Amino acid sequence: MSLTNPDLKSKFVDYLNEILSAENAAVERLQTRIQETPIQDAKQRFQQHLQETRGQQGRLEKLITDYDGSPTKSKADLPMLKPPATSMMKDTLKNTVKSVTKGAENPTTEEMEIRNIKEDAIIENAEIIAYKMCSQLAGKMNAQDAISVFQQNTEEEVSMFNWIMTNTPSMLNQLWPKIESSITTSSKQ
């Protein structure tokens, strides 16, 4: 630890807590994903990444305390896919009418899983960017001890992102037959 300027040290702790809040939220999301994903390979990889993420939290918490800060318990809002508001309002109105008439078109578990897989990739990519930026900031602030932490955390996030991208075709192959079946069934009604 070579940061001696108290204002720089405080600013660095702010950056560390910002990324820690993302990891705090990621733990919660990974726990949910483990419970909800219908894909066994994904469930296992999420369990592995949950352990990695807890390690990332620990390393960040140690850095924060080493720099005389207090680790945050807050959880960041993770990036999500949101349809445009006008599209959402139309769909809400359409689904409300259909639900009253017992013909609601709700997304299937498999359709939700596809959305979740896309969000997983977006979140991992956001974490990669955050760690790379923190590594650059650590270099500018002469916080050499933090760089190895950021490099390890980045490598784990890159590994998870690459796993998602590599396995997306297989996951889609598992999900598509049920999606196709639900579309075919609803179009016959």
Side-chain angles (χ1 to χ4, degrees), residues 31-39 43 109 113 116:
Q31 290 169 332
T32 300
R33 294 291 288 127
I34 289 165
Q35 295 300 313
E36 293 179 355
T37 185
I39 301 168
K43 191 177 295 270
T109 301
E113 183 64 14
N116 285 334

Side-chain angles (χ1 to χ4, degrees), residues 6-189:
D7 293 333
L8 277 179
K9 191 185 287 189
S10 176
K11 179 55 70 181
F12 190 56
V13 166
D14 289 345
Y15 292 135
L16 292 170
N17 269 319
E18 179 182 271
I19 199 161
L20 177 59
S21 72
E23 295 301 354
N24 293 343
V27 164
E28 189 173 276
R29 178 175 171 90
L30 286 164
Q31 290 169 332
T32 300
R33 294 291 288 127
I34 289 165
Q35 295 300 313
E36 293 179 355
T37 185
I39 301 168
Q40 284 304 308
D41 289 346
K43 191 177 295 270
Q44 290 171 355
R45 186 59 177 96
F46 290 141
Q47 288 169 336
Q48 176 186 341
H49 194 53
L50 176 60
Q51 295 310 309
E52 292 170 343
T53 302
R54 286 184 174 140
Q56 293 167 8
Q57 283 177 306
R59 290 186 291 273
L60 289 169
E61 289 167 352
K62 182 179 181 329
L63 274 176
I64 290 165
T65 56
D66 287 350
Y67 283 92
D68 302 325
S70 296
T72 186
K73 297 293 180 201
S74 70
K75 296 174 187 155
D77 292 330
L78 297 175
M80 294 178 54
L81 294 173
K82 294 181 184 178
T86 54
S87 170
M88 236 169 57
M89 289 189 310
K90 286 178 188 175
D91 288 345
T92 300
L93 182 58
K94 181 174 132 186
N95 286 337
T96 301
V97 170
K98 286 190 176 208
S99 83
V100 169
T101 63
K102 307 291 187 229
E105 290 180 17
N106 294 319
T108 64
T109 301
E110 293 76 18
E111 290 171 313
M112 293 301 295
E113 183 64 14
I114 288 175
R115 190 203 72 204
N116 285 334
I117 292 167
K118 289 186 274 187
E119 286 180 355
D120 294 335
I122 290 167
I123 291 166
E124 294 305 318
N125 214 15
E127 289 175 313
I128 292 165
I129 292 165
Y131 279 121
K132 286 184 176 187
M133 289 182 79
C134 279
S135 185
Q136 292 293 313
L137 289 168
K140 291 189 178 305
M141 294 181 179
N142 245 355
Q144 297 302 316
D145 55 330
I147 293 174
S148 63
V149 168
F150 297 140
Q151 286 173 337
Q152 181 177 355
N153 290 4
T154 300
E155 287 170 11
E156 291 170 355
E157 299 299 350
V158 167
S159 174
M160 184 64 196
F161 177 78
N162 288 341
W163 184 90
I164 292 167
M165 298 311 295
T166 300
N167 288 278
T168 293
S170 171
M171 292 188 285
L172 290 175
N173 285 340
Q174 291 177 55
L175 298 168
W176 183 248
K178 289 185 181 176
I179 294 170
E180 187 175 39
S181 173
S182 73
I183 292 168
T184 305
T185 302
S186 69
S187 67
K188 290 180 182 176
Q189 294 177 349

